[in-house]
Amino acid sequence: MYLQKLTIRNYRCFDDQGIQIYFKPDINVIIGENNIGKTATIDALRLAFSLGGGRRELYVTPQDFYINTIGEPANVITLDLTFAALSEKEQATFYETVSYKGSGNYRTIAHSL
C-alpha cells in the first residue's frame, strides 16, 4: 500500500482550488523554493494520519484556514488521500474509512477539519 495522491484545499497557502500531489510507490522527496507550501504539505499529511482516536501533536488552528485576497478565511479544510496497491488485509483494515475508486485504488472519505 502507498499514498498515490494527496489533494489539499483551503489549508494555509492552498486555496479552494487546492493542489494535487502525486506520489510514487517508493521514496518521494518534496523540494522547492521557500514559501511554496512544503511545510504545509507535510503538516497536512501529519493531520490526515492523526485523524481519529489517540494522542495528537498537531491541531488545526484558525491560522491554518486559507485566507483569500480580501481577507476572508475559508470555512472548511479538505485533505483527500488516495491509496493504491492495498492488499486484501489492508482493504479490510481500512474498510470504514476508505472508498473504492476503481483500478485497485482507494481514497479516504473526505474529512472536514
Side-chain angles (χ1 to χ4, degrees), residues 2-3 5 7 16 19-20 23 27 29 52 66 78 81 83 89-91 95 98-100 107 109:
Y2 72 97
L3 177 61
K5 181 174 75 170
T7 303
D16 62 340
I19 184 171
Q20 292 184 345
F23 297 94
I27 295 174
V29 178
Y66 175 77
T78 303
L81 289 77
F83 295 90
K89 184 176 180 179
E90 290 165 335
Q91 292 174 34
Y95 178 76
V98 298
S99 59
Y100 186 64
R107 70 181 270 243
I109 297 170

Side-chain angles (χ1 to χ4, degrees), residues 45-85:
L45 284 168
R46 290 177 60 208
L47 279 171
F49 289 122
S50 69
L51 289 175
R55 190 175 141 183
R56 295 177 56 180
E57 296 178 10
L58 185 66
Y59 295 91
V60 175
T61 67
Q63 293 78 21
D64 289 328
F65 289 81
Y66 175 77
I67 299 173
N68 66 21
T69 56
I70 58 173
E72 297 172 334
N75 294 322
V76 175
I77 294 171
T78 303
L79 308 175
D80 189 8
L81 289 77
T82 301
F83 295 90

